[in-house]
Amino acid sequence: MGSRIPDCCLIIFGATGDLARRKLFPALASLAAQKLLPNRFAVVGLARRPETNSSFRNYLKATIQQYAPRQLPSGAIEEFLLPRTHYIQADIHDPDSYARLQAILVGLEDGGNTTRNHIFYLALAPEHFQTVAQNLQRSGLVPGQPYTQSWPRLVIEKPFGWDLESARRLNQALRNVFPEEAIYRIDHYLGKEMIQNLMVIRFANAFFEPVWNNKYIDHVQISSLETDGVGTRATYYEKAGALRDMVQNHMLQLVSMIAMEPPANLDTNDIREEKVKVLRSLQPFTPQTIRKNAVRGQYQGYRSETGVRSNSTTETFVALKLAIDNFRWARVPFYLRTGKQLAQKAIEIVVQFKSLPEILYFKEYGELLPNLLAIRIQPLEGVFLRLNAKRPGTNDFIIPIKLDFCQNCEVGTNSPEAYERLLLDAMRGDQTLFTGWEEVEYSWRFVDPLAQEWSQTLPPFPNYAAGSWGPEAAQQLLLRDGRQWAQLE
């Protein structure tokens, strides 16, 4: 099938969990349907559930049919993916489980079904990462460095720690087993099609980069809004809240990609270096600026959700005003907002340009709307640009017009799911869309003071109605600066 992807085996810990069921196996089935997986490819799933190879494959077939984003040909699933999928009932604390895994891998390699290139995907709670990594090393499943004829890779999901100190401890434990270049920290936002397009839009168009600075841009808004509540994630969400679940990773990744300098080239390290420079340049929060520029909220009804404490002070909404202390972005505020149970589901970046001097048409027609660029990430994917132009007719009226490109609006147009791209990149060895340790470290350095300050004060929760746009204070965050949140379409 795909010749560009090296032969390998994907080992999924937590193979019957929610992430594997909803995202990983449907993504693998889609890749198989597109003939992007190598011929010598195998999947080994490990979980506590008592399953056989046959029953697990039947379970996967039903799972893929339920969660695949589009109809897939049965041949790709039943003739390619399922025969290459194997199952082990395992306990991550039990050395015998790793011995059985090693025996299966050796059998697959001896039978010519795959190679010793292994990707260990930990679709588990983060508190289990260290245990699995250490047991992989003890069982001999991770060879000593340097790697020569084969390689192991470790893929982990956020959160990468709960604060800077825990993140450092986790990173050191993983680095004792795997080198940094073998650790793939997934932020599924980075696998979204329009996120990948951000750098292209900025750096491959001559009319954007010259005006991408504080001389022409008034402010930037980044919104990640959900209409759903916490659902079945209450146990995790009670620990994380919107600050750790969204701001520390997803939102700051978007800030870094919008604000970064052009990298020397498209090499992973060069791109990461420029992103880290942005995170290092974020103006730190103080108790005074937190009270002024940070808003938290909790929707009415959150405390009644299953698994939520009746007096919970966990935030389900965060809005922030950030400053980047560098030459390009000095005095350009970045406004962030994210939350659950809001009026609309959308992920969007809005770049508002400065108003023109009040001469020429301003004298005749009054105030004109400033130019605006919106990059839509979800559910619509595309680019929207607002310009001023004369309205057709004999009267000289100036109106805003829209230049609107939507890449997933046409019937039958489907962008690849984020996990399709990220799984392929892990197989290729391309870490560009994965989070490097320095990005994790500087994100926690920025977020920790905010989390610590909020932990010391009792918030007036709940403070916004489900189905609204969040707390009123989030609107005031912009209104006091003479601005307002862009109306998402």
Side-chain angles (χ1 to χ4, degrees):
M1 296 176 76
S3 61
R4 293 177 298 171
I5 307 301
D7 297 331
C8 60
C9 182
L10 177 64
I11 300 103
I12 301 176
F13 288 82
T16 59
D18 195 60
L19 173 63
R21 180 175 69 252
R22 291 175 175 267
K23 297 295 183 182
L24 300 185
F25 284 109
L28 288 172
S30 180
L31 293 174
Q34 299 171 68
K35 302 185 184 302
L36 293 174
L37 296 175
N39 277 320
R40 297 178 67 199
F41 176 75
V43 180
V44 179
L46 297 90
R48 291 176 295 180
R49 184 186 300 178
E51 300 274 5
T52 64
N53 279 347
S54 178
S55 65
F56 184 63
R57 290 167 182 172
N58 289 334
Y59 159 78
L60 286 186
K61 181 179 178 180
T63 290
I64 292 167
Q65 290 173 343
Q66 180 178 2
Y67 292 109
R70 50 194 173 275
Q71 188 68 35
L72 300 175
S74 60
I77 302 171
E78 298 178 22
E79 297 173 17
F80 184 86
L81 182 61
L82 295 186
R84 288 169 168 79
T85 302
H86 309 268
Y87 182 81
I88 301 175
Q89 183 182 1
D91 179 346
I92 62 171
H93 302 280
D94 181 12
D96 288 344
S97 295
Y98 297 87
R100 284 185 281 121
L101 171 60
Q102 189 171 48
I104 285 183
L105 294 177
V106 170
L108 291 171
E109 293 155 13
D110 291 345
N113 298 307
T114 186
T115 67
R116 292 188 180 181
N117 294 330
H118 297 153
I119 300 173
F120 299 100
Y121 198 120
L122 307 193
L124 302 166
E127 56 263 30
H128 301 311
F129 293 170
Q130 182 174 345
T131 297
V132 174
Q134 291 173 341
N135 282 329
L136 287 172
Q137 184 180 49
R138 290 169 185 154
S139 63
L141 282 162
V142 179
Q145 302 174 37
Y147 308 133
T148 54
Q149 296 179 340
S150 61
W151 43 256
R153 291 173 185 153
L154 181 73
V155 182
I156 58 175
E157 294 270 345
K158 74 172 184 71
F160 312 121
W162 297 98
D163 55 20
L164 179 58
E165 185 57 36
S166 62
R168 283 174 170 165
R169 289 196 302 268
L170 173 61
N171 184 64
Q172 186 57 55
L174 298 180
R175 289 287 297 274
N176 289 337
V177 183
F178 295 88
E180 174 65 21
E181 61 268 22
I183 300 174
Y184 290 68
R185 302 173 187 85
I186 274 196
D187 183 336
H188 71 271
Y189 263 45
L190 301 186
K192 294 180 182 294
E193 188 70 18
M194 285 306 299
I195 297 294
Q196 299 169 45
N197 233 332
L198 283 178
M199 287 177 57
V200 178
I201 291 170
R202 275 196 59 187
F203 303 131
N205 293 288
F207 49 82
F208 279 140
E209 186 57 26
V211 298
W212 211 258
N213 53 59
N214 55 10
K215 183 177 180 180
Y216 297 99
I217 291 177
D218 180 78
H219 72 278
V220 178
Q221 300 179 21
I222 302 177
S223 299
S224 181
L225 315 179
E226 300 180 55
T227 54
D228 296 334
V230 293
T232 59
R233 301 177 69 225
T235 301
Y236 159 74
Y237 206 84
E238 272 288 271
K239 299 177 183 177
L243 183 65
R244 291 181 173 90
D245 184 47
M246 292 294 298
V247 175
Q248 183 272 331
N249 40 78
H250 301 327
M251 303 297 283
L252 291 184
Q253 281 289 324
L254 296 184
V255 170
S256 66
M257 295 185 78
I258 284 291
M260 65 186 284
E261 296 294 324
N265 56 53
L266 297 180
D267 176 79
T268 296
N269 291 332
D270 287 338
I271 293 173
R272 283 182 173 178
E273 182 179 348
E274 297 304 334
K275 291 167 67 179
V276 168
K277 287 180 182 178
V278 174
L279 298 174
R280 291 173 58 188
S281 299
L282 289 173
Q283 189 177 95
F285 274 118
T286 65
Q288 293 74 28
T289 57
I290 288 172
R291 288 190 289 271
K292 181 180 179 182
N293 295 328
V295 175
R296 55 176 164 165
Q298 184 188 93
Y299 65 80
Q300 294 173 3
Y302 173 74
R303 293 176 176 177
S304 300
E305 302 272 16
T306 302
V308 174
R309 293 169 291 129
S310 60
N311 61 344
S312 173
T313 58
T314 299
E315 75 283 351
T316 63
F317 178 97
V318 173
L320 303 174
K321 177 183 177 182
L322 310 184
I324 300 176
D325 290 336
N326 63 22
F327 191 79
R328 180 185 291 263
W329 295 109
R331 300 183 305 280
V332 177
F334 280 65
Y335 299 99
L336 278 59
R337 61 174 172 171
T338 182
K340 292 185 176 295
Q341 283 282 16
L342 297 174
Q344 189 173 343
K345 178 180 177 66
I347 305 172
E348 187 165 290
I349 299 167
V350 174
V351 179
Q352 182 164 311
F353 293 88
K354 291 184 176 181
S355 298
L356 292 169
E358 295 185 6
I359 55 176
L360 295 177
Y361 292 104
F362 278 84
K363 295 179 179 179
E364 299 291 334
Y365 305 108
E367 185 176 359
L368 303 180
L369 292 177
N371 299 135
L372 180 147
L373 171 69
I375 302 170
R376 295 166 171 164
I377 299 166
Q378 188 179 308
L380 296 179
E381 300 171 356
V383 181
F384 164 86
L385 185 62
R386 184 174 71 194
L387 305 175
N388 291 309
K390 177 184 174 299
R391 188 173 69 182
T394 56
N395 294 319
D396 290 337
F397 292 114
I398 295 179
I399 59 171
I401 62 170
K402 304 174 183 178
L403 302 182
D404 201 352
F405 163 69
C406 179
Q407 71 178 18
N408 68 339
C409 291
E410 295 183 10
V411 176
T413 301
N414 291 292
S415 295
E417 291 292 304
Y419 279 92
E420 296 177 32
R421 173 62 185 268
L422 295 172
L423 284 170
L424 274 187
D425 282 356
M427 296 176 199
R428 291 189 186 106
D430 184 349
Q431 290 190 315
T432 304
L433 298 179
F434 294 82
T435 306
W437 164 244
E438 280 195 296
E439 296 171 73
V440 175
E441 181 179 23
Y442 281 100
S443 295
W444 279 123
R445 286 188 181 189
F446 177 74
V447 165
D448 270 0
L450 182 56
Q452 291 165 7
E453 179 70 17
W454 278 353
S455 69
Q456 297 170 8
T457 56
L458 190 65
F461 287 168
N463 62 351
Y464 72 94
S468 69
W469 289 104
E472 176 58 29
Q475 311 302 319
Q476 295 300 321
L477 191 64
L478 274 75
L479 287 174
R480 69 162 187 254
D481 293 340
R483 304 180 176 104
Q484 60 183 2
W485 292 106
Q487 184 175 353
L488 304 183
E489 297 184 13

